[in-house]
Amino acid sequence: MLDWRWDFTWDILPRLIAATGNTLLAAGLGYAIAVVLGLVLALAQRTPYRAVTIVVREAVEFIRSTPLVLQIFFVFYVGPQFGLRLSPWAAGMIAIGLHYAAYLSEVYRGGLESVPKGQWEAATSLNLSTARTYFRIIIPQALPPSLAGMGNYLVGIFKDTPMLSVIGVAELMHTANAIGSETYRFLEPYTLVGIIFLALSLPTAALIRVFEAWVRRKLGMY
Amino acid sequence: MSYLEFLGQYGDRILSGTLVTILLTVLASMLAMAIALAAGLMRMARSPIVRGVAVVYIEIFRGTSLLVQLYWIFFVLPLFGITLEKFTAGFVAVGMNLGAYGAELVRGAILSVPRGQWEAALALNMSPAKRMVRVILPQAVVIMLPSWGNLLIELLKGTALVALIAVTDLMFQVKQINGTTFLSAEAFGTALIVYYVLARFMITPFMRWLERVMQRRLGRA
């Protein structure tokens, strides 16, 4: 039956907290890649070239409908087959960044489409270039409606980082597995990992909602 | 080794893995739907205790990772005297996780059934249970079906994680093949394509068909 050992808990807690730093780093880096790359994927679907639109659209669909853990394996193992060796961190960041870029591109796409056509016409009549129109007029207006989706995926990427443990990124789950195999005790490490995730993701989700409301108020939209 | 030779040699293992993945997906989605309905309805109950139970369940399963839940159910639950076989542990973890997400869909859909429908059912003197089953739920189902399509694709993707507790699904098989042959591009690439085909050409068309059927039954098509 259940025997929770507090001395063991205090022993392993510092290790798990240190690994939490790696988890947050992985989530942060992956998200940074996804935010930028997602915008590229969204804009690529709005070029006048139909072929580009179709290829990018299909690639996004493909990435969105296949498992992240499989993509992580794919990126990590396929490189060496062709002579390109990636560290677990590099492979993990590419896989998770690309996966969430596909999700975020859908969020941006919705935001970009919600900008009224009149804004484009006004920019054209002011003789602004396409690039300038995007960066000064369209994207700033597309961001606020995208914020809710972006926030959800920030929490989402954080919760998906344990999958990086499968290729040996030393994040929270990897550390809990290591503790489990060293000590044959799984109750405390896995439970603590669950508690740490809850303790981080619930407040983050709440903060994001507050931030979103704040942005909406600031911009005078309700 | 050419790709055709690869398929000839490992095709049956990939196929058997695919069948396990499909079975896991079907079982996990049935569990997820049952949990989503129960938790979604409990979330709107009048009693704060019932509501609290549902909120705690939903927040725990949405606030932590599926992988953490899977390991917890497989490695820790036996310490409480509940030992699940790995296949069962796999689809239970996936079903419980996606059920928590589904509960919010159920709640949202029920709340977006027009107020007049509730009032009309009340005016016809229907009992609360009958009102829910005969009037509100059928309309809520039509509202939430499109979101369930996305959720089921998430569920299919979630089943890939059970390979990590050695359930012999598609992910597990290609991992094994990769381990013995080092043909990573072939092994993982094939699995990526199979998952894509399952998601795009089986789940999505099936959900579209279901949407049409449900709308027709409500006389809206």
Side-chain angles (χ1 to χ4, degrees):
Chain A
M1 198 38 213
L2 190 62
D3 63 322
W4 181 282
R5 274 178 39 198
W6 283 105
D7 55 332
F8 180 64
T9 306
W10 299 125
D11 271 353
I12 63 172
L13 198 55
R15 258 177 94 182
L16 289 175
I17 288 174
T20 308
N22 274 349
T23 288
L24 291 176
L25 181 67
L29 278 176
Y31 195 67
I33 296 173
V35 163
V36 177
L37 197 61
L39 187 58
V40 174
L41 291 178
L43 291 179
Q45 290 176 52
R46 293 170 65 89
T47 61
Y49 310 105
R50 263 193 72 76
V52 176
T53 307
I54 291 169
V55 169
V56 175
R57 171 97 236 107
E58 284 306 311
V60 166
E61 282 300 322
F62 188 87
I63 295 171
R64 267 161 36 101
S65 36
T66 50
L68 173 58
V69 67
L70 182 57
Q71 292 167 4
I72 292 173
F73 274 116
F74 187 87
V75 173
F76 187 60
Y77 285 104
V78 170
Q81 206 179 351
F82 300 100
L84 175 74
R85 197 163 286 280
L86 290 172
S87 71
W89 269 95
M93 290 304 98
I94 292 173
I96 211 168
L98 198 60
H99 192 80
Y100 275 89
Y103 276 109
L104 282 180
S105 78
E106 293 290 283
V107 172
Y108 294 140
R109 215 162 59 97
L112 289 169
E113 273 163 18
S114 74
V115 177
K117 216 171 141 51
Q119 298 290 321
W120 274 103
E121 288 158 1
T124 310
S125 69
L126 289 171
N127 202 20
L128 296 180
S129 69
T130 307
R132 214 171 144 82
T133 308
Y134 264 119
F135 285 103
R136 301 298 295 273
I137 312 289
I138 305 300
I139 292 176
Q141 297 185 75
L143 272 183
S146 308
L147 278 179
M150 290 175 74
N152 286 341
Y153 287 126
L154 176 61
V155 180
I157 203 169
F158 169 64
K159 284 185 296 186
D160 272 351
T161 52
M163 291 190 204
L164 297 171
S165 66
V166 297
I167 54 168
V169 173
E171 47 68 67
L172 202 44
M173 199 74 220
H174 191 263
T175 308
N177 284 338
I179 293 172
S181 53
E182 284 160 23
T183 60
Y184 297 104
R185 289 191 69 84
F186 295 99
L187 170 64
E188 293 88 351
Y190 286 155
T191 308
L192 286 173
V193 168
I195 292 171
I196 292 174
F197 266 100
L198 267 185
L200 287 170
S201 68
L202 292 184
T204 312
L207 270 180
I208 287 168
R209 275 197 292 278
V210 172
F211 175 70
E212 200 195 310
W214 178 80
V215 170
R216 281 175 181 279
R217 241 192 344 269
K218 273 272 162 202
L219 293 171
M221 33 201 293
Y222 286 92
Chain B
M1 193 193 277
S2 79
Y3 185 61
L4 277 180
E5 280 166 14
F6 173 82
L7 278 188
Q9 193 161 350
Y10 297 105
D12 46 349
R13 278 175 70 180
I14 290 173
L15 189 66
S16 88
T18 307
L19 292 178
V20 174
T21 290
I22 292 174
L23 186 62
L24 276 167
T25 306
V26 171
L27 290 172
S29 43
M30 286 181 347
L31 182 64
M33 282 176 213
I35 288 176
L37 188 61
L41 288 175
M42 282 169 71
R43 180 82 171 67
M44 295 187 299
R46 207 165 291 153
S47 144
I49 299 164
V50 175
R51 215 165 50 223
V53 169
V55 169
V56 168
Y57 174 81
I58 293 170
E59 292 299 329
I60 285 181
F61 277 86
R62 280 166 37 118
T64 59
S65 309
L66 174 55
L67 190 55
V68 178
Q69 292 154 21
L70 180 69
Y71 280 10
W72 206 88
I73 287 175
F74 189 62
F75 291 109
V76 177
L77 222 47
L79 303 175
F80 292 83
I82 307 169
T83 306
L84 295 179
E85 200 257 322
K86 60 190 178 187
F87 181 84
T88 316
F91 83 77
V92 165
V94 176
M96 288 182 83
N97 178 274
L98 273 300
Y101 285 91
E104 295 290 277
L105 293 186
V106 170
R107 191 176 79 100
I110 288 176
L111 288 178
S112 57
V113 172
R115 258 205 91 64
Q117 298 287 330
W118 297 77
E119 288 159 1
L122 194 69
L124 290 171
N125 201 21
M126 284 185 169
S127 69
K130 194 168 177 185
R131 176 178 66 188
M132 188 53 82
V133 175
R134 299 294 296 274
V135 180
I136 306 302
L137 272 183
Q139 299 182 65
V141 167
V142 172
I143 295 171
M144 67 184 167
L145 265 181
S147 319
W148 270 97
N150 284 331
L151 203 67
L152 287 187
I153 292 178
E154 292 300 317
L155 187 146
L156 168 73
K157 290 160 58 184
T159 63
L161 285 175
V162 303
L164 300 175
I165 57 168
V167 178
T168 55
D169 74 332
L170 177 59
M171 177 76 216
F172 182 84
Q173 296 288 4
V174 296
K175 226 175 101 201
Q176 297 288 96
I177 296 170
N178 176 62
T180 49
T181 64
F182 298 106
L183 293 170
S184 311
E186 286 86 342
F188 292 132
T190 309
L192 281 173
I193 292 167
V194 174
Y195 277 111
Y196 181 68
V197 168
L198 289 178
R200 282 286 137 217
F201 303 108
M202 294 182 79
I203 292 181
T204 305
F206 173 71
M207 292 307 286
R208 290 275 148 73
W209 171 80
L210 208 59
E211 279 167 38
R212 274 203 309 277
V213 169
M214 287 307 294
Q215 279 181 343
R216 202 173 308 137
R217 291 191 62 180
L218 285 188
R220 287 192 188 156

